[in-house]
Amino acid sequence: MRVLIGGGSGFVGRELTRLLRDKGHEVTVISRQPGPGKITWNESYKKDLFSSRIDTTKTLAQAIAASPSPPHSWVLVSGVACYKPSLEAQYTEDSEWTPFDLLSQLVKEWEAAACLPENVAKITKQVVIRPGAVLGRDGGAMKQMLLPFWLGLGGTLGSGSQPFPWIHVSDLAGIISRALEPPADPPADPPSPVPQVFNGVAPALNTNYEFTKELGRILRRPTVFPVPGFVMNALMGSERAVVLTQGQKVTPKRTLESGFQYKYPDLTSALKEIVGS
């Protein structure tokens, strides 16, 4: 099977590319930089196509719709920022939501840009995956966290009581790979004009405090220096900081129902793999 990946040079993209190639698939990466196994947009399109996630996604969806032989699967990876932060609410893929800030509006428009016309949706399976914080040793959130933790300067972000939806990068790559598989022939269900949504999070429900203490325990380092919310706002800007200082209880209900088997379903197993303990 041939797979085309946008963002394939990034942290998650590298892991997904490795997994798919290990399975024998031919992977082509859309990249700004030319090279083996990559394609680039020609110069006249670069400015428009890379101006935002939305423009790029809309262009790819339009290309699929216009193709005489559209792919059997079209997968978008967006994010859990669509769900409003709360200490009480628990979200599944079936939860209704409306935009409430800049990031949630981005997710809404991004996912809308990926939708295919109904006639094409009868041929191409549409899937949206919403990941939480992606954890792995080569990038993502952990890359910035490990040094202060090794120095004994790790601590909770803000109050620490906020939910911390997370997933190991290998499991996210596995969910994406599974979504790319062709539908059953004949399909078990009639084609859907709307995308299937899967929450790309681990089944464990953890807080930022629990994550911080478990990482400190595995590294054998103290975690006594909490980072106040106002410091996060000053360092990152309020809209970026809110991703870490607030959180959502997100469960992978449909992901589990699909039969996906997590390699790292809990923090201990995930963090031990990442830090090499």
Side-chain angles (χ1 to χ4, degrees):
M1 179 175 71
R2 185 178 182 187
V3 182
L4 184 66
I5 300 179
S9 300
F11 175 48
V12 176
R14 293 196 305 270
E15 181 70 15
L16 177 60
T17 298
R18 181 199 62 76
L19 174 62
L20 292 174
R21 285 177 174 159
D22 285 349
K23 290 186 173 184
H25 300 304
E26 179 186 350
V27 178
T28 301
V29 173
I30 301 173
S31 173
R32 289 181 175 87
Q33 303 299 324
K38 297 181 179 180
I39 61 172
T40 57
W41 303 105
N42 73 46
E43 290 296 325
S44 64
Y45 289 116
K46 275 188 177 180
K47 183 177 180 181
D48 291 333
L49 294 177
F50 288 95
S51 61
S52 70
R53 291 173 172 86
I54 295 170
D55 291 344
T56 301
T57 299
K58 186 178 296 184
T59 300
L60 288 170
Q62 291 171 346
I64 291 172
S67 173
S69 55
H72 57 66
S73 300
W74 164 226
V75 180
L76 175 73
V77 181
S78 56
V80 297
C82 59
Y83 305 122
K84 191 171 185 178
S86 171
L87 296 179
E88 292 81 30
Q90 187 165 307
Y91 300 101
T92 72
E93 294 90 343
D94 298 318
S95 299
E96 295 184 2
W97 61 278
T98 55
F100 57 91
D101 66 359
L102 181 65
L103 290 178
S104 58
Q105 184 65 36
L106 172 62
V107 173
K108 182 177 178 62
E109 294 185 20
W110 194 4
E111 293 184 359
C115 285
L116 301 175
E118 188 172 345
N119 64 312
V120 183
K122 294 178 180 178
I123 303 169
T124 299
K125 177 180 66 173
Q126 301 180 89
V127 179
V128 169
I129 298 171
R130 297 173 180 157
V134 183
L135 306 182
R137 66 175 69 196
D138 297 323
M142 293 299 299
K143 193 170 185 178
Q144 285 74 40
M145 292 182 191
L146 282 178
L147 179 59
F149 271 85
W150 275 117
L151 296 175
L153 302 175
T156 58
L157 302 178
S159 69
S161 63
Q162 68 271 28
F164 184 71
W166 63 274
I167 188 168
H168 191 285
V169 65
S170 294
D171 282 327
L172 179 56
I175 294 172
I176 299 170
S177 175
R178 185 184 179 92
L180 286 168
E181 294 298 323
D185 189 19
D189 300 306
S192 172
V194 297
Q196 295 175 288
V197 177
F198 295 93
N199 285 334
V201 296
L205 287 173
N206 297 108
T207 63
N208 177 262
Y209 175 86
E210 290 167 340
F211 168 81
T212 300
K213 291 303 177 182
E214 185 63 9
L215 180 56
R217 185 187 71 80
I218 291 173
L219 290 174
R220 299 183 177 86
R221 294 293 189 275
T223 53
V224 294
F225 295 98
V227 183
F230 74 88
V231 174
M232 296 290 294
N233 290 342
L235 292 175
M236 305 177 66
S238 59
E239 286 168 348
R240 291 183 64 193
V242 74
V243 176
L244 298 175
T245 57
Q246 300 182 34
Q248 315 90 333
K249 293 181 181 179
V250 183
T251 60
K253 177 176 178 287
R254 191 171 296 146
T255 307
L256 290 168
E257 290 174 350
S258 74
F260 180 74
Q261 298 292 315
Y262 285 82
K263 294 170 68 175
Y264 306 101
D266 58 83
L267 272 176
T268 301
S269 63
L271 294 176
K272 282 186 175 180
E273 191 282 332
I274 290 167
V275 302
S277 298

